[in-house]
Amino acid sequence: MAPSSNSSNSLYEFVVRDGNGVKGLVDSGLSEVPERYIQPPEEQINKLESSPCDMQPIDLSKLNGPEHDKVVDEIVGAAETLGFFQVVNHVVPVELLESLKEAAHTFFNLPPEKKAVYRAGVSPSPKVKYGTSFVPEKEKALEWKDYISMVYSCDEDALQYWPNQCKEAALEYLKLSSKLVKQLVEILVGKLGVELDDSKIESLLGMKMVNMNYYPECPNPELTVGVGRHSDMGTITVLLQDGIGGLYVKVEEDNDAENGEWLEIPPIPGALVINIGDTLQILSNGRYKSAEHRVRTTSTQSRVSVPVFTVPLASERIGPLPEVVKKDGLARYKEVVWQDYMNNFFGNAHAGKKSLDFVKINSAKLE
């Protein structure tokens, strides 16, 4: 039975601890957003205060032809400015992208008890987690999102423990996206004047995870958020969004992460969204920008997105590449064991790019 929208404790139990998620609230006949989901005014998303991003998608097939250098410059330019770009003619078949979206809807439309078996603490594998919001125990206002998260260890475990409704499509998508990420990392690191061997690149992409995110239709989308503003902690994220839209990225003004215009990233059929993560911003000593982004909800229909996150191994030491520091004359970030960075990232609610403060050497002079 759904809780009263006025009872914060019973709502938390129903949504988070009992595993019903936001979808369980919506399916109960919710007519207005519960108070626990109402964001403070400064975090609410006003579509009228943003503009559509008019950056053209980058055609990766041209990397194999006479326009190779031009495409490389487009990739590097986007990573240095917005930290977000879209790619077409990539390695992931369009048919697989459609299968992923269908699989996500199939999973989240399961009865609550079928999804709740993957909650933390009861899931058949610690690498598979069904949940809601980001870190609900730390958040003053919850995010309007349910998700299933699947960390890759090996094919055998994925096929055994990942949900039957999505495991095959998700596994193939993760593998192909990982090839795409490696290609992009080689291009971006190469443009820094640095050569990394395959083992070092693999250590930067050592943990791979695919999520399926579900944003149920929302009666008052102007009051809440699907995902609060944040940057991704990893190296590069590959994102499949459906045709509904709602993804926003901030344009930093003169290296000022606090201010800037919000742009909506329009869905492009067959395209994948690429965003730079904190790891690449640190490695490049700030040349590449991890993208601050957020997600708006919609009142008309449920939205899905499917990101693949590539993250350094937990034991890896991450800091600015020495060759870049030598060229820049100073290091803008300290070196850190990646496990410590992850602990800080997941120990706090979403708050823009504040996760990078953990390693900034002089935050007064930086982004």
Side-chain angles (χ1 to χ4, degrees):
M1 181 176 176
S4 164
S5 61
N6 295 320
S7 173
S8 180
N9 288 338
S10 63
L11 181 143
Y12 187 89
E13 293 279 345
F14 177 83
V15 173
V16 179
R17 295 187 182 163
D18 296 343
N20 289 284
V22 185
K23 188 174 188 305
L25 279 181
V26 173
D27 289 347
S28 71
L30 200 70
S31 60
E32 61 181 18
V33 168
E35 186 176 347
R36 189 70 189 268
Y37 285 91
I38 296 177
Q39 297 287 330
E42 65 272 16
E43 299 298 338
Q44 294 171 9
I45 302 175
N46 185 343
K47 288 191 72 171
L48 300 178
E49 294 177 356
S50 65
S51 305
C53 179
D54 58 5
M55 183 186 295
Q56 294 299 306
I58 298 173
D59 186 345
L60 295 185
S61 68
K62 294 182 178 179
L63 282 171
N64 301 318
E67 294 185 70
H68 174 274
D69 291 349
K70 177 176 177 288
V71 175
V72 166
D73 289 343
E74 290 174 351
I75 292 169
V76 171
E80 290 177 337
T81 52
L82 192 58
F84 249 82
F85 53 97
Q86 299 200 64
V87 295
V88 293
N89 293 325
H90 42 71
V91 294
V92 187
V94 173
E95 297 79 13
L96 178 57
L97 301 182
E98 294 304 312
S99 295
L100 281 164
K101 289 183 280 189
E102 291 174 11
H105 279 288
T106 299
F107 175 80
F108 287 103
N109 278 301
L110 288 173
E113 63 273 15
K114 298 284 189 182
K115 294 176 287 188
V117 298
Y118 295 105
R119 283 181 301 124
V122 299
S123 175
S125 167
K127 296 182 183 298
V128 182
K129 178 187 174 186
Y130 166 72
T132 190
S133 199
F134 179 57
V135 280
E137 65 276 9
K138 299 270 187 178
E139 294 163 339
K140 293 179 179 177
L142 298 175
E143 298 176 347
W144 197 264
K145 178 191 78 170
D146 299 331
Y147 68 88
I148 180 82
S149 171
M150 297 162 279
V151 177
Y152 178 79
S153 54
C154 64
D155 288 10
E156 183 180 0
D157 282 356
L159 293 173
Q160 181 174 354
Y161 296 116
W162 292 10
N164 289 333
Q165 294 76 16
C166 59
K167 62 185 179 184
E168 292 179 354
L171 179 58
E172 183 67 12
Y173 173 57
L174 180 141
K175 287 183 170 183
L176 292 172
S177 294
S178 298
K179 291 180 181 179
L180 171 57
V181 169
K182 184 177 181 184
Q183 181 184 33
L184 293 172
V185 168
E186 288 172 345
I187 288 171
L188 291 168
V189 170
K191 272 295 185 175
L192 296 173
V194 179
E195 284 189 28
L196 298 179
D197 60 30
D198 281 350
S199 64
K200 179 62 177 178
I201 290 177
E202 284 303 321
S203 70
L204 297 176
L205 315 176
M207 188 180 85
K208 303 176 179 71
M209 176 172 65
V210 57
N211 279 19
M212 287 186 163
N213 298 325
Y214 186 82
Y215 307 94
E217 62 272 21
C218 178
N220 311 103
E222 71 282 357
L223 297 179
T224 187
V225 297
V227 180
R229 53 191 185 85
H230 70 288
S231 57
D232 290 349
M233 68 172 180
T235 305
I236 283 178
T237 301
V238 178
L239 174 75
L240 166 65
Q241 58 170 342
D242 63 16
I244 296 171
L247 174 63
Y248 293 80
V249 62
K250 182 190 275 189
V251 184
E252 293 183 17
E253 292 182 351
D254 299 322
N255 284 334
D256 179 5
E258 294 300 315
N259 298 296
E261 179 188 13
W262 286 96
L263 299 179
E264 183 169 10
I265 306 297
I268 297 175
L272 289 170
V273 179
I274 307 296
N275 75 276
I276 305 302
D278 292 350
T279 303
L280 260 184
Q281 178 157 335
I282 296 166
L283 289 169
S284 68
N285 207 30
R287 177 173 170 182
Y288 299 137
K289 309 297 183 188
S290 66
E292 182 176 343
H293 54 288
R294 60 187 183 177
V295 175
R296 189 178 191 271
T297 61
T298 175
S299 61
T300 55
Q301 58 191 125
S302 299
R303 175 181 181 268
V304 295
S305 67
V306 190
V308 167
F309 301 102
T310 56
V311 180
L313 294 171
S315 59
E316 191 72 11
R317 300 189 70 86
I318 298 295
L321 294 165
E323 298 91 336
V324 182
V325 173
K326 184 177 180 181
K327 196 180 302 180
D328 292 348
L330 80 166
R332 295 182 169 90
Y333 307 95
K334 65 182 180 182
E335 189 176 74
V336 64
V337 175
W338 200 246
Q339 182 67 63
D340 294 338
Y341 194 90
M342 288 195 292
N343 290 345
N344 176 72
F345 184 88
F346 288 113
N348 297 282
H350 282 146
K353 292 182 68 169
K354 289 196 180 301
S355 54
L356 278 166
D357 290 347
F358 187 68
V359 291
K360 281 181 182 174
I361 289 176
N362 186 349
S363 60
K365 295 182 180 179
L366 296 175
E367 313 67 28

